[in-house]
Amino acid sequence: MVVTLHESASVRAGTTGAHQPEPRPRVVILGAGFGGLSAAISLRRAPVDVTVIDRRNYHLFQPLLYQVATAGLSPAQIAMPIRRILSRQSNATVLMNRVESIDVAARCVVTTGRRIAYDYLIVATGARHTYFGNDAWADHAPGLKTIADATAIRARILSAFERAEVTEDPQLRERLLTFVVVGGGPTGVELAGAIVELARKTIVRDFRHIDASSTRVILIEAGERILPTMPPALSGKARDQLEALGVEVVLGSAVAGCDQRGVQLGDGTEIGSACVLWAAGVMASRAAKWLGAPADRTGRVKVNEHLNPPGHDEIFVIGDTAAVIDATGRPVPGVAPAAKQMGRYATRAILDQIAGRSTAPFRYRDYGNLATIGRKAAVADFGKAWLSGYAAWLVWNFAHLWFLVGFRNRLVVFLDWALAYVRNDRAVRLITGQNE
Ligand SMILES: Cc1cc2nc3c(=O)[nH]c(=O)nc-3n(C[C@H](O)[C@H](O)[C@H](O)COP(=O)(O)OP(=O)(O)OC[C@H]3O[C@@H](n4cnc5c(N)ncnc54)[C@H](O)[C@@H]3O)c2cc1C
């Protein structure tokens, strides 16, 4: 049975009694990631009823997922219950539910077992990874998007060392000690740097039969440079720092195949590996299909400069699920600060519509671009200025602590990082979910 959570505005407005208070506009937000949460929080004092719907009960700080995957942090340090974040916001209701479609004509969101009516809708359901049509590769090369992905990758990495320790087959041992990361964007760079450090600095003294310092980590990028959204000089610096850590960087090579033996490159080269990780492509959520709106080739909804899909001023699509050209004519990147800015913009535009005001087009403010490579190694691009090495690494640490949601998370992550720095350790070396 499908239940409608809110009655329609006309029913609420008048027919049930002469002295009913004027109904407040209902703002429904789909997704409590960076975009959706920033929208919900910006409406905390607004005279509207806010409903936040997410399939998970927590907000996830994705930029630190790679640290969970490489045993540096535990999941609870980078996630926070959505209900707790919004617990003091009396105009906000949180529903853990999966969005299945949107009835645009009836202004209703259809979730599992419920229809939820809206006056204004903010769609912020993010993106997931894609294998460019080769979905069979997913079993052999997991991607990193959720906590479940991160703990599965952690188990895969640590299990490879454990299996290498017990095997007597030198070829299998070599394959187990070869790690391949596909995709030279920030996530691929971070994963490759963290795995090589884990092998060569942290666990090297824990094994008796293998030499973990001989571990190979190979980063494969189809383009001509890693971190392609950064200036070429910084990409070069990042590559130098990765290679200094011991990562082998292979450029201009697309992966043509991926199976239990490892990966095959377009030129026929085969790399044997028992642990291939995928950091190569993203595909937007199904929002374009739900809305019947035009999408770009990665599935993002093509919105106008006010973040509306064509013909729907009451709907805003934001964050990774929107293809946005901002007021300056630049495409807006799929990063957390852009999603947050769009969330705030959408709420401002909704309040302007309610008050009968017009809103200037969305304009993205780019405060910089950071990527970490390893201990004391990072790059930071601030437009006119850039940093590399230790200084960039300090900025990266500070920025991630600052933006992490929740005081407790900030404190425990800071303490863990400080201990890891002093002791060269990665504390969460747990293989969970297998043979338990
Ligand atoms: C591994 C990784 C590392 C990253 N590192 C960085 C970084 O260092 N810096 C940076 O700026 N950006 C980084 N990003 C990108 C950044 O995380 C995204 O740009 C940002 O999360 C986009 O915010 P969003 O609100 O659009 O989507 P998300 O934050 O992904 O939130 C989407 C929400 O929608 C919910 N949802 C999805 N589908 C449904 C459904 N059908 N029903 C109900 N709920 C649904 C999800 O559960 C989720 O909570 C990284 C991303 C990843 C995956």
Side-chain angles (χ1 to χ4, degrees), residues 350-361:
I350 289 171
L351 297 179
D352 283 345
Q353 278 192 37
I354 292 170
R357 295 186 296 258
S358 62
T359 313

Side-chain angles (χ1 to χ4, degrees), residues 30-37 53-56 58-66 82 97-100 111 123-127 129 144-146 186-187 190 282 285-286 290 318-322 333-340 369-371 396 400:
L30 310 185
F34 286 103
L37 201 57
I53 305 172
D54 200 296
R55 63 186 173 193
R56 303 194 286 235
Y58 57 85
H59 167 78
L60 177 62
F61 192 80
Q62 293 177 44
L64 291 179
L65 258 184
Y66 87 95
I82 302 162
N97 216 330
R98 182 178 289 273
V99 176
E100 286 174 352
T111 68
V123 183
T125 39
H129 43 260
L144 183 60
K145 184 69 189 167
T146 64
T187 302
E190 287 165 356
V282 286
S285 74
R286 295 170 53 77
W290 298 335
I318 64 171
D320 280 5
T321 217
V335 292
K340 287 162 96 171
N369 208 345
L370 301 167
W396 184 93
H400 283 72

Side-chain angles (χ1 to χ4, degrees), residues 23 34 67 71 89 169 175 181 189 200 217 234 254 364 388 432:
F34 286 103
Q67 295 221 353
Q89 188 169 327
D169 175 347
R175 212 161 62 78
V181 180
V189 166
R200 298 190 178 188
V217 179
L234 265 192
Y364 172 55
S388 157
T432 54

Side-chain angles (χ1 to χ4, degrees), residues 84-382:
R84 173 148 167 231
I85 299 170
L86 297 175
S87 68
R88 287 166 194 259
Q89 188 169 327
S90 59
N91 68 348
T93 300
V94 178
L95 299 177
M96 188 179 111
N97 216 330
R98 182 178 289 273
V99 176
E100 286 174 352
S101 62
I102 299 169
D103 185 341
V104 175
R107 297 196 175 186
C108 260
V109 175
V110 181
T111 68
T112 318
R114 262 185 157 166
R115 286 172 71 86
I116 295 147
Y118 63 84
D119 297 309
Y120 298 94
L121 179 66
I122 299 178
V123 183
T125 39
R128 59 203 151 86
H129 43 260
T130 177
Y131 293 85
F132 307 116
N134 301 295
D135 290 348
W137 296 356
D139 290 341
H140 309 293
L144 183 60
K145 184 69 189 167
T146 64
I147 284 180
D149 294 338
T151 52
I153 288 175
R154 184 179 72 195
R156 204 176 263 241
I157 294 171
L158 297 174
S159 297
F161 290 110
E162 296 297 342
R163 288 172 60 205
E165 176 79 350
V166 291
T167 187
E168 303 209 335
D169 175 347
Q171 280 182 335
L172 176 59
R173 190 180 307 127
E174 191 183 329
R175 212 161 62 78
L176 287 163
L177 292 181
T178 301
F179 295 82
V180 173
V181 180
V182 184
T187 302
V189 166
E190 287 165 356
L191 276 172
I195 296 170
V196 84
E197 286 197 328
L198 173 74
R200 298 190 178 188
K201 294 194 175 139
T202 306
I203 61 173
V204 69
R205 49 189 180 267
D206 297 354
F207 287 88
R208 300 293 170 259
H209 300 290
I210 56 167
D211 175 10
S213 68
S214 68
T215 299
R216 289 179 73 196
V217 179
I218 302 164
L219 178 66
I220 298 173
E221 164 56 42
E224 290 309 316
R225 60 192 177 96
I226 58 169
L227 302 178
T229 57
M230 295 227 172
L234 265 192
S235 291
K237 294 261 179 205
R239 181 181 172 179
D240 293 346
Q241 292 179 72
L242 266 183
E243 289 180 338
L245 285 176
V247 175
E248 298 167 42
V249 180
V250 178
L251 296 176
S253 283
V255 168
C258 185
D259 56 28
Q260 67 282 1
R261 291 167 299 157
V263 292
Q264 299 85 51
L265 303 184
D267 63 4
T269 310
E270 301 225 354
I271 304 174
S273 169
C275 187
V276 180
L277 304 177
W278 190 259
V282 286
M283 178 59 104
S285 74
R286 295 170 53 77
K289 290 210 171 66
W290 298 335
L291 295 167
D296 71 0
R297 68 188 169 80
T298 62
R300 296 179 306 167
V301 177
K302 289 186 183 171
V303 292
N304 64 18
E305 71 279 17
H306 297 287
L307 311 184
N308 310 125
H312 288 283
D313 291 356
E314 78 287 6
I315 301 177
F316 297 81
V317 187
I318 64 171
D320 280 5
T321 217
V324 185
I325 306 289
D326 85 348
T328 63
R330 286 172 314 167
V332 180
V335 292
K340 287 162 96 171
Q341 289 178 32
M342 288 187 230
R344 288 192 290 268
Y345 174 88
T347 60
R348 206 164 53 243
I350 289 171
L351 297 179
D352 283 345
Q353 278 192 37
I354 292 170
R357 295 186 296 258
S358 62
T359 313
F362 173 72
R363 183 177 175 170
Y364 172 55
R365 287 182 207 289
D366 186 354
Y367 296 109
N369 208 345
L370 301 167
T372 187
I373 292 149
R375 188 181 155 91
K376 300 189 198 172
V379 285
D381 170 27
F382 300 112

